[in-house]
Amino acid sequence: MLKWLAIALLLLLALLQYRLWLGDGGIHELRVISERVELLDNDNKPLRDRNERLAAEVVDLKTGLDAIEERARSDIGMVRTDEQFYWVPGVVTEQGGDGATSPARARTGAPNE
């Protein structure tokens, strides 16, 4: 009787070991999934960095006037009241990252800071 119990327990142990090493949800599948997670983390790193930059820009736009002024200067050509605007006819410059061209502008007065 004890002999049959030992054989049954050994068979059960072998079955559990098989499922652990080779079956669904076993060590092999865990290794494959871990490698896939690592690849996806590497793919997501630039996106996380971009999101952090955008979040910082949002906070800066909500709290700081410097960022708003910088946007207004570059996007719509804002000039402060203590500055003078000079337009030079016939001179065209590249402005911003959008490739739009506009007449050359010269500003005098207090620095942007």
Side-chain angles (χ1 to χ4, degrees):
M1 175 77 176
L2 192 57
K3 180 179 175 181
W4 293 108
L5 181 63
I7 290 173
L9 288 176
L10 282 175
L11 286 175
L12 181 63
L13 179 65
L15 178 67
L16 291 174
Q17 286 294 313
Y18 173 79
R19 288 188 59 199
L20 174 67
W21 292 101
L22 303 173
D24 290 338
I27 300 292
H28 177 68
E29 189 174 345
L30 176 66
R31 184 169 30 98
V32 170
I33 290 173
S34 296
E35 290 172 0
R36 186 168 178 223
V37 165
E38 186 176 333
L39 286 173
L40 291 174
D41 278 343
N42 290 339
D43 290 345
N44 285 340
K45 184 174 180 0
L47 299 175
R48 276 192 223 102
D49 293 342
R50 186 194 70 189
N51 286 346
E52 288 175 8
R53 285 192 309 270
L54 289 174
E57 186 174 347
V58 165
V59 168
D60 193 29
L61 286 172
K62 285 183 177 180
T63 60
L65 295 178
D66 291 337
I68 296 171
E69 182 178 347
E70 179 183 338
R71 282 279 173 123
R73 286 178 179 276
S74 65
D75 292 348
I76 60 175
M78 181 189 92
V79 179
R80 293 191 341 204
T81 57
D82 61 343
E83 295 178 328
Q84 295 178 357
F85 173 75
Y86 295 99
W87 177 57
V88 181
V91 177
V92 178
T93 61
E94 289 281 327
Q95 189 179 40
D98 58 0
T101 59
S102 65
R105 299 178 190 181
R107 292 186 181 102
T108 62
N112 192 10
E113 299 172 353

